[in-house]
Amino acid sequence: MGRDGEGGAARRRFLKASASLALAGFCGAPRAAGADAAYPAVLEAAAAEQQLAPAQYPATAIWGYNDTTPGPLLRVKQGGRLRITLANGLARQDTTVHWHGIRLPNAMDGVPHLTQPPVRPGERFAYEFDVPDAGTYWYHPHVASYEQVARGLHGALVVEEERPIEVDRDLVWVLADWRMTRRAAIQEDFNDLHDLAHAGRLGSVVTINGRYAREYPLEARAGERVRLRLVNAAVARIFGLRFAAHRPVVVALDGQPVAPHALDERGLVLAPGMRADLVIDFDGKPGGRHVIEDTYYPGDRATLTEIAYADGAHARAGARGAVPPLPANPLAEPDPAKAERHVLALQGGAMGALREARVRGAVLPIQRMLREHHLAWAINGVAGKSHEDAPLLELRRGRHYVLALRNETGWDHPIHLHGHVFRVLARDGTPVPHRPWRDTVLVSRRETVEIALVADNPGDWMLHCHALLHQEGGMMGVIRVG
Ligand code: C2O
Ligand code: CU
């Protein structure tokens, strides 16, 4: 199934379908679990079926949480406690849940062997932790993520501010990317060596909240102000979104508030693992339609979906003030002047210069890494394979660090650090506007990105590429904070 091979027929179907989709809610609506939260008591990972492809295709066999992909939207108040049990209903694979972006105790981080035993089929694991930061987060397995996330195991977690900014609606969009056969079955070449050494597993069907994206328009009313929380749950696809004549204001990145600002000329670049909170004033005309384009990959201008205005105007239409900033989260401010500096060199991949790397202690030439271990990537000369590898870095608790992520490869890597958030200081020596807090930063080919953090959360934390086949292919390691 080709992503762009639909043309006019799809558009006509979309126009018909959109009428019946008006104001359709978020799939997998939460059940109440107390006054301060809305989420189910149990998340069961299991096989299910869902209509992901356009309507004329059959439903797709997926793996979901509580029978849906994305899994249920979890909502909890900032400072509240999340208590949720994972039940492994998969037939043959172990699993865990990683709470991406949440600064939680190490034992709740969901990394098999490193922070907890893997949860075997039929078993359960109770997660319980406080959520210190408001914002948009997500959850997914950390066992064979390149397969389990690609089969549909992922969902959004919203941590609500005590006083959110005033909007008419708060929407969550979980973006996913599926590699499908002509019969809309998930292609099972999850660990393809070519994908692994190149851009990762790119799909052919993009969904929003588990629905074929082009049949899932952003329903809007002229005059309303909407907060749109985007989560990129794709295993490799990077999005570069443009909202036609609209001027979205970025208020948070990876859940963390940022000085409200307009998108730059590249649009909203959202790599795997990343989130962005946008505030959009729908100032178009009733009945109007506007394409949301994805232009990240050169030469591939794809329609993600459309903004579809209802016929009437919003009741509260009228001039709005500037979008106010979100209240800051309680983060320790790193001071680059007193920071210790380290380099993390990202290496390998197709057409790269990496000739050999350390694999479980032994130095192997790249050909043997590939053939015998399915490894093509390394960080500082080590192809990360298991929890038994020595840590990449040992950081002292409470100290300040600047890490230079130096991409020596010909590929882009969204690098994610567990348990902490960091400020993005500079790209190739040029200061980054707003110095955003992030937990995942896109390091473009041959680029060096400097990040700064206070190592304030003790434990062994994963650092890895969120193109999940790159992670599996060696671009991962452990940062020890002790
Ligand atoms: Cu979202 Cu280690 O992952
Ligand atoms: Cu990568």
Side-chain angles (χ1 to χ4, degrees):
M1 203 180 269
R3 192 179 170 208
D4 299 306
E6 294 283 329
R11 195 186 145 76
R12 282 189 298 278
R13 264 196 319 280
F14 159 76
L15 291 173
K16 238 196 276 164
S18 60
S20 61
L21 281 175
L23 305 177
F26 184 81
C27 299
R31 288 184 268 138
D36 273 3
Y39 58 86
V42 175
L43 273 183
E44 186 185 23
E49 256 198 11
Q50 193 162 311
Q51 186 68 37
L52 298 176
Q56 77 273 24
Y57 288 92
T60 300
I62 56 140
W63 291 0
Y65 290 112
N66 300 3
D67 290 328
T68 63
T69 185
L73 171 62
L74 315 181
R75 280 187 180 271
V76 55
K77 285 243 155 65
Q78 181 174 17
R81 199 161 177 82
L82 187 75
R83 288 187 192 83
I84 197 161
T85 296
L86 165 69
N88 185 355
L90 301 175
R92 273 181 296 274
Q93 289 194 17
D94 298 347
T95 193
T96 60
V97 178
H98 168 56
W99 309 94
H100 183 124
I102 304 285
R103 298 185 300 127
L104 39 58
N106 194 249
M108 293 290 113
D109 198 42
V111 180
H113 306 292
L114 191 68
T115 71
Q116 69 165 92
V119 182
R120 315 240 177 249
E123 288 183 355
R124 297 183 160 230
F125 187 91
Y127 291 95
E128 178 170 351
F129 51 87
D130 292 336
V131 285
D133 302 327
T136 305
Y137 302 91
W138 68 299
Y139 59 96
H140 63 80
H142 227 283
V143 177
S145 314
Y146 64 95
E147 172 177 353
Q148 295 194 5
V149 176
R151 286 189 185 270
L153 289 172
H154 52 255
L157 164 58
V158 168
V159 182
E160 292 169 348
E161 297 93 14
E162 178 105 38
R163 260 177 251 100
I165 40 186
E166 238 183 87
V167 291
D168 298 308
R169 279 187 302 150
D170 186 316
L171 299 179
V172 181
W173 267 15
V174 179
L175 304 176
D177 179 33
W178 310 80
R179 182 179 291 178
M180 289 190 181
T181 67
R182 290 169 181 282
R183 299 292 303 148
I186 294 174
Q187 247 175 255
E188 300 202 334
D189 53 347
F190 297 106
N191 203 350
D192 180 83
L193 214 50
H194 183 274
D195 292 336
L196 182 138
H198 292 75
R201 177 186 171 89
L202 293 171
S204 49
V205 168
V206 170
T207 57
I208 301 170
N209 295 341
R211 307 268 294 275
Y212 183 59
R214 293 199 217 168
E215 293 177 358
Y216 190 79
L218 203 175
E219 302 282 348
R221 274 183 181 277
E224 71 174 340
R225 172 172 280 188
V226 168
R227 177 169 178 176
L228 177 61
R229 303 167 184 265
L230 295 127
V231 179
N232 185 353
V235 294
R237 181 173 294 282
I238 301 170
F239 293 92
L241 302 181
R242 294 166 187 283
F243 295 80
H246 299 82
R247 300 266 167 273
V249 174
V250 183
V251 294
L253 293 170
D254 293 351
Q256 301 297 338
V258 64
H261 63 274
L263 296 173
D264 67 19
E265 65 290 342
R266 295 181 314 156
L268 176 67
V269 174
L270 203 66
M274 292 181 168
R275 291 86 63 214
D277 289 38
L278 305 180
V279 172
I280 307 177
D281 285 334
F282 286 102
D283 43 17
K285 294 206 169 53
R289 288 180 178 276
H290 308 264
V291 169
I292 301 179
E293 266 188 331
D294 175 10
T295 59
Y296 184 76
Y297 297 96
D300 172 25
R301 269 184 115 75
T303 295
L304 178 75
T305 189
E306 287 196 341
I307 297 167
Y309 278 87
D311 285 330
H314 187 256
R316 291 172 47 198
R320 309 254 184 183
V323 175
L326 287 164
N329 283 320
L331 303 171
E333 183 68 49
D335 178 357
K338 64 176 184 197
E340 192 176 302
R341 293 175 173 261
H342 294 276
V343 174
L344 293 171
L346 313 174
Q347 302 156 324
M351 298 164 291
L354 187 69
R355 291 158 163 267
E356 56 181 33
R358 212 165 256 288
V359 180
R360 287 184 173 150
V363 175
L364 296 185
I366 183 87
Q367 296 81 359
R368 282 190 59 201
M369 283 169 57
L370 268 173
R371 242 186 300 117
E372 295 167 26
H373 302 274
H374 263 230
L375 294 168
W377 306 94
I379 302 177
N380 288 356
V382 178
K385 184 72 181 166
S386 90
H387 57 284
E388 286 153 16
D389 293 335
L392 286 169
L393 294 173
E394 303 201 31
L395 308 184
R396 298 268 294 281
R397 189 174 177 185
R399 289 253 178 110
H400 299 224
Y401 293 90
V402 169
L403 307 181
L405 305 169
R406 191 172 74 211
N407 185 348
E408 300 176 355
T409 81
W411 305 90
D412 301 343
H413 304 288
I415 301 296
H416 171 47
L417 173 64
H418 288 208
H420 295 77
V421 294
F422 46 81
R423 278 206 189 270
V424 183
L425 299 182
R427 293 182 178 275
D428 286 334
T430 304
V432 171
H434 315 296
R435 304 221 294 182
W437 292 104
R438 302 213 73 132
D439 57 58
T440 307
V441 65
L442 184 59
V443 189
S444 299
R445 55 200 75 176
R446 314 281 171 206
E447 182 185 46
T448 296
V449 175
E450 282 190 323
I451 63 173
L453 73 152
V454 179
D456 57 1
N457 198 357
D460 281 355
W461 302 102
M462 297 288 302
L463 174 130
H464 63 86
C465 180
H466 224 290
L468 295 173
L469 264 182
H470 291 180
Q471 173 195 358
E472 186 64 17
M475 196 171 283
M476 66 165 151
V478 166
I479 305 288
R480 176 167 293 162
V481 177

